[in-house]
Amino acid sequence: MKLLAESTCKAIINAPFESIDITEWLFTLKDSEYKACSVDHLAAGNSISDKGKRMSINVEQIAGNLLIQHYVENISFRDHCRVQSISDSIASTGKTKLHIIWELRIKKHDSSSCELFNHVVVNSTPDFITLLDSLKITDYKLVTDEMLQNLIKHNNEETPLFAKDIEAKASKGIWF
């Protein structure tokens, strides 16, 4: 497995730290709420894995690349949620799989606000390396540079909108 791209974006949530449950937010996010957080977001839903873990199913299209993500719960706390997916990736160059880790954290900023950290890591899979080999792509840096720029742009768009959605739910006392 090779690191392809990694990005962290931060945003302020104007709600007390104690009023937020980031894991519950992720696993109760409605389709319409997910779509409102990025022009790239196409659909979202929730499921349960074969091993009984919660799942967040997301579909997005970033820079012409259709991603179908099957995020499985890995870390689940009120202030820290990490999910992992072997995601389907469909582009004009072919269909492959990517290993994606999505991690959300909140840290108390002051008595009435906190900071959201949205961290995404994209790793290769054997399928991805096979696809690059079949396309005679040997300079992975060209691929990783483009992937990184697309990830940063996407993360910068969705993170403040995620924060606004979390803030709105916290103000309504959703998690109490």
Side-chain angles (χ1 to χ4, degrees):
M1 196 170 349
K2 177 178 173 39
L3 175 67
L4 300 173
E6 182 172 11
S7 171
T8 301
C9 189
K10 301 182 273 186
I12 296 294
I13 301 170
N14 292 306
F17 177 84
E18 299 76 20
S19 69
I20 299 169
D21 187 325
I22 199 70
T23 296
E24 287 306 309
W25 173 80
L26 176 62
F27 289 111
T28 60
L29 191 62
K30 295 176 185 164
D31 180 62
S32 60
E33 295 164 342
Y34 177 76
K35 289 192 283 191
C37 291
S38 172
V39 296
D40 297 331
H41 291 176
L42 302 175
N46 295 290
S47 188
I48 302 292
S49 75
D50 292 339
K51 295 182 179 180
K53 294 281 190 177
R54 291 181 287 186
M55 294 177 67
S56 176
I57 312 294
N58 301 333
V59 180
E60 56 190 355
Q61 188 163 9
I62 300 174
N65 184 31
L66 182 65
L67 294 166
I68 302 149
Q69 301 154 331
H70 311 89
Y71 288 114
V72 178
E73 179 178 23
N74 181 253
I75 294 176
S76 304
F77 297 106
R78 288 182 69 90
D79 63 341
H80 183 197
C81 179
R82 183 172 64 202
V83 291
Q84 295 188 54
S85 173
I86 300 298
S87 299
D88 296 297
S89 174
I90 304 165
S92 60
T93 54
K95 181 180 176 189
T96 189
K97 296 198 179 286
L98 296 167
H99 175 249
I100 303 175
I101 300 167
W102 182 20
E103 191 165 19
L104 298 162
R105 288 181 186 259
I106 56 167
K107 295 195 187 234
K108 188 172 187 170
H109 188 257
D110 58 33
S111 63
S112 62
S113 67
C114 54
E115 193 166 25
L116 171 68
F117 296 82
N118 183 11
H119 182 74
V120 180
V121 179
V122 182
N123 293 301
S124 67
T125 64
D127 284 0
F128 183 77
I129 300 302
T130 298
L131 176 64
L132 293 184
D133 290 347
S134 76
L135 297 169
K136 310 270 190 266
I137 296 173
T138 56
D139 187 356
Y140 293 166
K141 184 162 175 25
L142 293 174
V143 174
T144 58
D145 285 351
E146 183 178 344
M147 195 176 284
L148 177 60
Q149 293 311 309
N150 292 333
L151 177 59
I152 290 169
K153 180 181 177 195
H154 180 73
N155 207 3
N156 283 336
E157 177 193 16
E158 73 182 1
T159 303
L161 297 172
F162 284 160
K164 289 292 178 200
D165 188 72
I166 294 164
E167 184 178 302
K169 290 175 181 171
S171 72
K172 293 178 186 171
I174 298 289
W175 298 296
F176 289 101

